[in-house]
Amino acid sequence: MKKISILILATAVLSSSAIWAAPKKAKTPKEKVVIVGTEGAYPPYNFVNSKGEADGYDIDVIKAIDERIPGIKFKFEPTAWDGIFVALESGKFDIIASQIGWNAEREKKYLFSEQPYFYGFSVIVFKKGRTDIKNTKDLWGKTVLAGVGSYNTTWLEEYNKKNGNPIKIQYSDGNVAVGFKDIADGRVDANLNDPIVADKFAEENKLPLDWVVLDEQETAPVYFLYAKNKNGEEYRALIEKALAEIKADGTLSKISLKWFGKDYSIPPKKN
C-alpha cells in the first residue's frame, strides 16, 4: 500500500464539492427531530466546517438516509469523544454517527446497526524518520497514545493484556490534533489511527508523521449506535431500511468516492 497515493487521491477528492450532494427533501409540518451525536473533530469523517456546521462522510451518509425517511429530521450535535456515549445513555442523543466499531462491551449497553456503512483499516502512526517501528511488536516497551473508548484502544488493550502488557498505554480524550502533535513533538511514541486522517492532519499542519499498517488487526466495519430501548429499536428499523436503499442504488458508494476517492462502503480487498 502506498501512503503517497492515498494522500494525493484523498486530498484531490476533498477539494471537490461537486461529486455528491444530498438532495433536498420537502419539509413536512410535523417533522420529528432525531438528534445525532458525532465527535465533530475527526476529519474527513466528521468535523465542524467553516460555516459552523457538522460535515464529513458520516454526516453525508445520515443526510442521504434523511432523504428516504419522511416525517423525520436529523439534527447533528458535535460532542467530544469522551462524552458521546454518556450523552446517548442519558437520552441527549438518539443515535451516534461517529466511526463506531463493534466490541463486546458496547454491545451489552447499546444497539448496533445491523449493517456497516464503512469499512476501514488501522495504522500505527509515529514520527517521521523513526526506523524502530515497523509492526505491532515494535510497540513493546513504547508509549502509545489511545483515545478512551475507541475501537483501536479496545483492540490495543486486549492485545496488550494477551501479551503480558508490554506496551505503556497513555489515555487521552481522543482529540487527534493534540495526539498527533504529541507524536511529532516526541512526547509519545505512537498512536493507532486511520491512515486518511493521519495523512490529512500531517499535510494541513505540516507535521512530520509516518505510518505502517497495523499488521495484527483485521478490517474494521463501522456502525451506527442506538440506545438500547424502544426508541432505539424504532430508529434502527427505519435507518436500516434507508441504509440498505442507499447501498443498493449506489448513493453510499458515491459519498465514499466524494470524500476518499475510493469505495470504502464495501470490504477492502487485502493486498
Short mmCIF file of all heavy atoms in Angstrom, two decimals, residues 31-72:
data_model
loop_
_atom_site.label_atom_id
_atom_site.label_comp_id
_atom_site.label_asym_id
_atom_site.label_seq_id
_atom_site.Cartn_x
_atom_site.Cartn_y
_atom_site.Cartn_z
N GLU A 31 -42.37 17.37 11.38
CA GLU A 31 -41.19 16.51 11.36
C GLU A 31 -40.68 16.26 12.78
O GLU A 31 -40.55 17.19 13.56
CB GLU A 31 -40.07 17.14 10.52
CG GLU A 31 -40.29 17.05 9.02
CD GLU A 31 -39.10 17.58 8.25
OE1 GLU A 31 -38.47 18.54 8.71
OE2 GLU A 31 -38.82 17.03 7.17
N LYS A 32 -40.38 15.00 13.07
CA LYS A 32 -39.81 14.64 14.36
C LYS A 32 -38.29 14.82 14.28
O LYS A 32 -37.66 14.34 13.35
CB LYS A 32 -40.15 13.20 14.70
CG LYS A 32 -39.59 12.75 16.05
CD LYS A 32 -40.02 11.34 16.36
CE LYS A 32 -39.41 10.84 17.68
NZ LYS A 32 -39.80 11.67 18.82
N VAL A 33 -37.72 15.53 15.23
CA VAL A 33 -36.28 15.78 15.24
C VAL A 33 -35.56 14.63 15.94
O VAL A 33 -35.89 14.28 17.07
CB VAL A 33 -35.95 17.11 15.94
CG1 VAL A 33 -34.43 17.31 16.00
CG2 VAL A 33 -36.61 18.28 15.20
N VAL A 34 -34.61 14.04 15.24
CA VAL A 34 -33.80 12.96 15.79
C VAL A 34 -32.38 13.50 15.97
O VAL A 34 -31.77 14.00 15.01
CB VAL A 34 -33.79 11.74 14.84
CG1 VAL A 34 -32.86 10.67 15.37
CG2 VAL A 34 -35.20 11.19 14.68
N ILE A 35 -31.86 13.45 17.19
CA ILE A 35 -30.56 14.04 17.50
C ILE A 35 -29.45 13.03 17.23
O ILE A 35 -29.46 11.92 17.75
CB ILE A 35 -30.49 14.50 18.96
CG1 ILE A 35 -31.67 15.43 19.29
CG2 ILE A 35 -29.16 15.21 19.23
CD1 ILE A 35 -31.72 16.69 18.46
N VAL A 36 -28.51 13.46 16.40
CA VAL A 36 -27.37 12.61 16.02
C VAL A 36 -26.11 13.13 16.69
O VAL A 36 -25.66 14.25 16.42
CB VAL A 36 -27.17 12.59 14.49
CG1 VAL A 36 -26.02 11.67 14.12
CG2 VAL A 36 -28.45 12.17 13.79
N GLY A 37 -25.53 12.32 17.55
CA GLY A 37 -24.26 12.69 18.17
C GLY A 37 -23.10 12.31 17.27
O GLY A 37 -23.08 11.24 16.67
N THR A 38 -22.13 13.21 17.14
CA THR A 38 -20.93 12.95 16.34
C THR A 38 -19.77 13.71 16.96
O THR A 38 -19.97 14.79 17.54
CB THR A 38 -21.16 13.37 14.87
OG1 THR A 38 -20.07 12.92 14.06
CG2 THR A 38 -21.34 14.88 14.73
N GLU A 39 -18.58 13.18 16.86
CA GLU A 39 -17.44 13.82 17.52
C GLU A 39 -17.16 15.20 16.96
O GLU A 39 -16.84 16.14 17.70
CB GLU A 39 -16.20 12.94 17.39
CG GLU A 39 -15.01 13.47 18.15
CD GLU A 39 -13.78 12.60 17.99
OE1 GLU A 39 -13.82 11.63 17.20
OE2 GLU A 39 -12.76 12.88 18.65
N GLY A 40 -17.25 15.35 15.64
CA GLY A 40 -17.04 16.66 15.05
C GLY A 40 -15.60 17.12 15.04
O GLY A 40 -15.32 18.30 14.80
N ALA A 41 -14.66 16.20 15.29
CA ALA A 41 -13.24 16.58 15.33
C ALA A 41 -12.38 15.48 14.72
O ALA A 41 -11.24 15.27 15.12
CB ALA A 41 -12.81 16.84 16.77
N TYR A 42 -12.93 14.79 13.72
CA TYR A 42 -12.24 13.64 13.12
C TYR A 42 -12.37 13.68 11.60
O TYR A 42 -12.94 12.80 10.98
CB TYR A 42 -12.86 12.35 13.69
CG TYR A 42 -12.03 11.11 13.50
CD1 TYR A 42 -10.70 11.05 13.92
CD2 TYR A 42 -12.58 9.97 12.92
CE1 TYR A 42 -9.95 9.90 13.77
CE2 TYR A 42 -11.83 8.80 12.76
CZ TYR A 42 -10.53 8.78 13.20
OH TYR A 42 -9.78 7.63 13.05
N PRO A 43 -11.87 14.77 10.99
CA PRO A 43 -11.98 14.89 9.53
C PRO A 43 -11.14 13.84 8.82
O PRO A 43 -10.11 13.40 9.35
CB PRO A 43 -11.43 16.31 9.28
CG PRO A 43 -10.49 16.57 10.41
CD PRO A 43 -11.10 15.88 11.59
N PRO A 44 -11.59 13.36 7.65
CA PRO A 44 -12.77 13.81 6.90
C PRO A 44 -14.06 13.06 7.25
O PRO A 44 -15.05 13.20 6.55
CB PRO A 44 -12.36 13.51 5.46
CG PRO A 44 -11.52 12.27 5.57
CD PRO A 44 -10.76 12.42 6.86
N TYR A 45 -14.05 12.28 8.33
CA TYR A 45 -15.25 11.51 8.68
C TYR A 45 -16.33 12.38 9.32
O TYR A 45 -17.51 12.29 8.97
CB TYR A 45 -14.87 10.37 9.62
CG TYR A 45 -13.90 9.41 9.00
CD1 TYR A 45 -12.55 9.42 9.34
CD2 TYR A 45 -14.31 8.50 8.04
CE1 TYR A 45 -11.65 8.56 8.76
CE2 TYR A 45 -13.42 7.63 7.45
CZ TYR A 45 -12.09 7.67 7.81
OH TYR A 45 -11.20 6.80 7.23
N ASN A 46 -15.92 13.20 10.27
CA ASN A 46 -16.86 14.15 10.87
C ASN A 46 -16.08 15.33 11.44
O ASN A 46 -15.05 15.14 12.08
CB ASN A 46 -17.74 13.48 11.94
CG ASN A 46 -16.92 12.78 13.01
OD1 ASN A 46 -16.37 13.41 13.90
ND2 ASN A 46 -16.83 11.45 12.92
N PHE A 47 -16.57 16.53 11.18
CA PHE A 47 -15.90 17.74 11.65
C PHE A 47 -16.87 18.90 11.56
O PHE A 47 -17.97 18.78 11.00
CB PHE A 47 -14.64 18.02 10.83
CG PHE A 47 -14.87 18.23 9.35
CD1 PHE A 47 -14.99 19.52 8.83
CD2 PHE A 47 -15.00 17.15 8.49
CE1 PHE A 47 -15.21 19.72 7.47
CE2 PHE A 47 -15.22 17.33 7.13
CZ PHE A 47 -15.33 18.62 6.62
N VAL A 48 -16.47 20.04 12.11
CA VAL A 48 -17.28 21.25 12.01
C VAL A 48 -16.61 22.14 10.96
O VAL A 48 -15.44 22.51 11.10
CB VAL A 48 -17.37 21.98 13.37
CG1 VAL A 48 -18.15 23.29 13.23
CG2 VAL A 48 -18.02 21.08 14.40
N ASN A 49 -17.34 22.49 9.91
CA ASN A 49 -16.75 23.24 8.80
C ASN A 49 -16.69 24.74 9.09
O ASN A 49 -17.06 25.19 10.20
CB ASN A 49 -17.50 22.95 7.49
CG ASN A 49 -18.95 23.40 7.52
OD1 ASN A 49 -19.34 24.30 8.27
ND2 ASN A 49 -19.78 22.78 6.69
N SER A 50 -16.24 25.51 8.13
CA SER A 50 -16.05 26.96 8.32
C SER A 50 -17.35 27.71 8.57
O SER A 50 -17.34 28.83 9.06
CB SER A 50 -15.34 27.55 7.09
OG SER A 50 -16.10 27.33 5.92
N LYS A 51 -18.47 27.07 8.23
CA LYS A 51 -19.78 27.68 8.49
C LYS A 51 -20.32 27.31 9.86
O LYS A 51 -21.43 27.71 10.22
CB LYS A 51 -20.77 27.25 7.41
CG LYS A 51 -20.42 27.70 6.01
CD LYS A 51 -21.45 27.19 5.01
CE LYS A 51 -21.09 27.62 3.59
NZ LYS A 51 -22.08 27.09 2.59
N GLY A 52 -19.56 26.54 10.61
CA GLY A 52 -20.00 26.11 11.92
C GLY A 52 -20.97 24.94 11.88
O GLY A 52 -21.67 24.66 12.86
N GLU A 53 -21.00 24.22 10.74
CA GLU A 53 -21.93 23.12 10.56
C GLU A 53 -21.21 21.78 10.59
O GLU A 53 -20.05 21.67 10.19
CB GLU A 53 -22.65 23.25 9.22
CG GLU A 53 -23.43 24.55 9.05
CD GLU A 53 -23.89 24.77 7.63
OE1 GLU A 53 -23.32 24.14 6.71
OE2 GLU A 53 -24.82 25.57 7.42
N ALA A 54 -21.90 20.75 11.06
CA ALA A 54 -21.34 19.40 11.03
C ALA A 54 -21.18 18.97 9.58
O ALA A 54 -22.05 19.19 8.74
CB ALA A 54 -22.26 18.43 11.77
N ASP A 55 -20.05 18.34 9.27
CA ASP A 55 -19.73 17.98 7.89
C ASP A 55 -18.88 16.71 7.90
O ASP A 55 -18.39 16.28 8.94
CB ASP A 55 -18.98 19.13 7.23
CG ASP A 55 -19.12 19.14 5.71
OD1 ASP A 55 -19.65 18.16 5.15
OD2 ASP A 55 -18.69 20.13 5.09
N GLY A 56 -18.73 16.11 6.72
CA GLY A 56 -17.89 14.94 6.59
C GLY A 56 -18.65 13.72 6.09
O GLY A 56 -19.85 13.78 5.83
N TYR A 57 -17.94 12.62 5.97
CA TYR A 57 -18.53 11.39 5.43
C TYR A 57 -19.70 10.91 6.28
O TYR A 57 -20.78 10.63 5.75
CB TYR A 57 -17.46 10.30 5.36
CG TYR A 57 -18.00 8.95 4.94
CD1 TYR A 57 -18.26 8.66 3.61
CD2 TYR A 57 -18.26 7.96 5.89
CE1 TYR A 57 -18.77 7.42 3.22
CE2 TYR A 57 -18.76 6.72 5.51
CZ TYR A 57 -19.01 6.45 4.18
OH TYR A 57 -19.52 5.23 3.81
N ASP A 58 -19.51 10.79 7.60
CA ASP A 58 -20.59 10.32 8.47
C ASP A 58 -21.83 11.18 8.33
O ASP A 58 -22.96 10.68 8.34
CB ASP A 58 -20.13 10.34 9.94
CG ASP A 58 -19.00 9.37 10.22
OD1 ASP A 58 -18.83 8.41 9.45
OD2 ASP A 58 -18.28 9.58 11.21
N ILE A 59 -21.62 12.48 8.22
CA ILE A 59 -22.73 13.42 8.14
C ILE A 59 -23.48 13.26 6.82
O ILE A 59 -24.72 13.25 6.78
CB ILE A 59 -22.22 14.88 8.28
CG1 ILE A 59 -21.30 15.02 9.50
CG2 ILE A 59 -23.38 15.85 8.34
CD1 ILE A 59 -21.89 14.53 10.80
N ASP A 60 -22.74 13.13 5.73
CA ASP A 60 -23.37 12.96 4.42
C ASP A 60 -24.18 11.67 4.33
O ASP A 60 -25.22 11.62 3.67
CB ASP A 60 -22.32 12.99 3.31
CG ASP A 60 -21.98 14.40 2.85
OD1 ASP A 60 -22.61 15.35 3.36
OD2 ASP A 60 -21.08 14.55 2.01
N VAL A 61 -23.70 10.62 4.99
CA VAL A 61 -24.44 9.36 4.99
C VAL A 61 -25.79 9.54 5.69
O VAL A 61 -26.84 9.11 5.20
CB VAL A 61 -23.63 8.23 5.66
CG1 VAL A 61 -24.48 6.96 5.79
CG2 VAL A 61 -22.38 7.93 4.85
N ILE A 62 -25.76 10.21 6.84
CA ILE A 62 -27.02 10.46 7.57
C ILE A 62 -27.94 11.36 6.76
O ILE A 62 -29.16 11.15 6.71
CB ILE A 62 -26.73 11.11 8.94
CG1 ILE A 62 -26.10 10.08 9.88
CG2 ILE A 62 -28.01 11.66 9.57
CD1 ILE A 62 -27.02 8.96 10.31
N LYS A 63 -27.39 12.35 6.07
CA LYS A 63 -28.22 13.24 5.24
C LYS A 63 -28.88 12.46 4.11
O LYS A 63 -30.04 12.71 3.76
CB LYS A 63 -27.37 14.38 4.68
CG LYS A 63 -27.00 15.44 5.71
CD LYS A 63 -26.16 16.54 5.08
CE LYS A 63 -25.83 17.63 6.10
NZ LYS A 63 -24.98 18.70 5.50
N ALA A 64 -28.15 11.51 3.52
CA ALA A 64 -28.74 10.69 2.45
C ALA A 64 -29.85 9.80 3.00
O ALA A 64 -30.88 9.59 2.35
CB ALA A 64 -27.64 9.84 1.80
N ILE A 65 -29.65 9.29 4.20
CA ILE A 65 -30.68 8.49 4.85
C ILE A 65 -31.89 9.35 5.18
O ILE A 65 -33.04 8.92 5.03
CB ILE A 65 -30.09 7.83 6.12
CG1 ILE A 65 -29.14 6.70 5.73
CG2 ILE A 65 -31.19 7.32 7.05
CD1 ILE A 65 -28.34 6.13 6.88
N ASP A 66 -31.64 10.56 5.62
CA ASP A 66 -32.70 11.52 5.96
C ASP A 66 -33.67 11.70 4.79
O ASP A 66 -34.88 11.80 4.99
CB ASP A 66 -32.05 12.85 6.33
CG ASP A 66 -33.05 13.85 6.91
OD1 ASP A 66 -34.20 13.46 7.17
OD2 ASP A 66 -32.67 15.01 7.11
N GLU A 67 -33.13 11.75 3.59
CA GLU A 67 -33.97 11.96 2.40
C GLU A 67 -34.93 10.81 2.14
O GLU A 67 -35.89 10.95 1.38
CB GLU A 67 -33.08 12.16 1.16
CG GLU A 67 -32.20 13.39 1.22
CD GLU A 67 -33.00 14.65 1.46
OE1 GLU A 67 -34.06 14.81 0.83
OE2 GLU A 67 -32.58 15.48 2.29
N ARG A 68 -34.69 9.68 2.76
CA ARG A 68 -35.51 8.50 2.49
C ARG A 68 -36.45 8.14 3.65
O ARG A 68 -37.12 7.12 3.62
CB ARG A 68 -34.58 7.31 2.18
CG ARG A 68 -33.95 7.46 0.79
CD ARG A 68 -32.65 6.69 0.68
NE ARG A 68 -32.10 6.78 -0.68
CZ ARG A 68 -31.41 7.80 -1.15
NH1 ARG A 68 -31.17 8.84 -0.37
NH2 ARG A 68 -30.96 7.82 -2.39
N ILE A 69 -36.48 8.99 4.68
CA ILE A 69 -37.37 8.74 5.81
C ILE A 69 -38.28 9.95 6.01
O ILE A 69 -37.86 10.96 6.59
CB ILE A 69 -36.58 8.47 7.10
CG1 ILE A 69 -35.58 7.33 6.89
CG2 ILE A 69 -37.54 8.12 8.25
CD1 ILE A 69 -34.72 7.03 8.10
N PRO A 70 -39.51 9.91 5.52
CA PRO A 70 -40.43 11.04 5.69
C PRO A 70 -40.83 11.23 7.16
O PRO A 70 -40.86 10.27 7.94
CB PRO A 70 -41.64 10.63 4.85
CG PRO A 70 -41.58 9.14 4.78
CD PRO A 70 -40.13 8.79 4.78
N GLY A 71 -41.05 12.49 7.53
CA GLY A 71 -41.53 12.79 8.88
C GLY A 71 -40.44 12.88 9.93
O GLY A 71 -40.72 13.10 11.10
N ILE A 72 -39.18 12.73 9.50
CA ILE A 72 -38.05 12.80 10.44
C ILE A 72 -37.01 13.79 9.93
O ILE A 72 -36.74 13.85 8.74
CB ILE A 72 -37.41 11.41 10.63
CG1 ILE A 72 -38.25 10.56 11.59
CG2 ILE A 72 -36.00 11.52 11.19
CD1 ILE A 72 -37.68 9.20 11.87
#
